[in-house]
Amino acid sequence: MTKMTRRESLVLLSGTLLSGCNSKFFSPTAPSITPESGLIRVDTPEGEIGWSPYLVVQPDATVLEGYKKALMEMKARGNVRGVRITLNSFRDPVVEMVSSLGLEMIGIISNEELLGPNPKAVIDHYVATFPDMRVLQIGNEVSTLPNTKKVTVEQYMDAFKKIYDHVQSRYPSLILMTQSTFGSGYQGSNELKRMVDLGLNPNNFSNQKIIVGINVYTEVAFNEYVSTRNEFLSGYRFWVMESGTLNPAEHISKVRNFYPRLATALSAERIYWYALWATDDDPEHAGYSLIKHPRFQNQMTYSPLGQALVGVQGGIVK
């Protein structure tokens, strides 16, 4: 996940977009949801919300069938089009399952590979292993890792430039995304501004070939990112790669109140909810989950937002 913790990654994106869904009713309190916002209408017990149909999925094959059940139900209602997932160096069972459902995929590779002797070879390997990808995201919250794994912004931008030049010469149809900077407080926006100082601008990185990735959980982070985008990066596309809240009772209101602002003030084309399932046991992460107990399908339950996305009411799929 990513709020007050880590994120190690080089991220790859693949797949096919699916169609959205229409709401059955219009709530007078619902935010304005337009095609330009990238949000789709979802009916919930708290009224209509504007939802971005993208999720974070953890690479745990022990919950494979629970994942599949939830994703199939969401897809049937047009409420999921793509997921973000940590990639191994091979196509593991979770990746294969997501691919079999026809969902778009983003895969994460450890940040340590950015500091290896040949990051270009890393790209070559993952392009060969995942030939269906069309976007690569390079890194995630690189400066928040433990000291033994930490990547400085200066090291990151040096590796990013090498990878960018390599991709333009060898894989010109691919799009790159920057690392997703930290989602709470001022750290992420400050780091993003440092990336600008180190050369993140259209003269060095074409805004036709780059998407800016960020994580956004808090109001402070949101306000700071809006200011940074407007001042330095308004020519680039933005994707929010993680957002969410720890209290399941607030999942729906978080989406209702936060997603339209991310889509408008930040012009975020996509917002990825953290997470389909984070854990059942860790109190710092479990509350973000849309599903609980996915190892046992007959015991699997949903958060209120998860229920709305799969069409569950009173434990029954509508």
Side-chain angles (χ1 to χ4, degrees), residues 54-58 84 241-242 272-277:
Y54 301 97
L55 302 167
V56 174
V57 170
Q58 305 284 31
R84 194 198 78 176
M241 300 311 296
E242 291 185 21
Y272 285 75
W273 178 269
Y274 183 86
L276 177 61
W277 178 72

Side-chain angles (χ1 to χ4, degrees), residues 228-241:
T228 300
R229 178 195 178 275
N230 291 344
E231 186 172 356
F232 302 109
L233 295 165
S234 60
Y236 285 104
R237 300 163 63 190
F238 271 64
W239 289 8
V240 174
M241 300 311 296

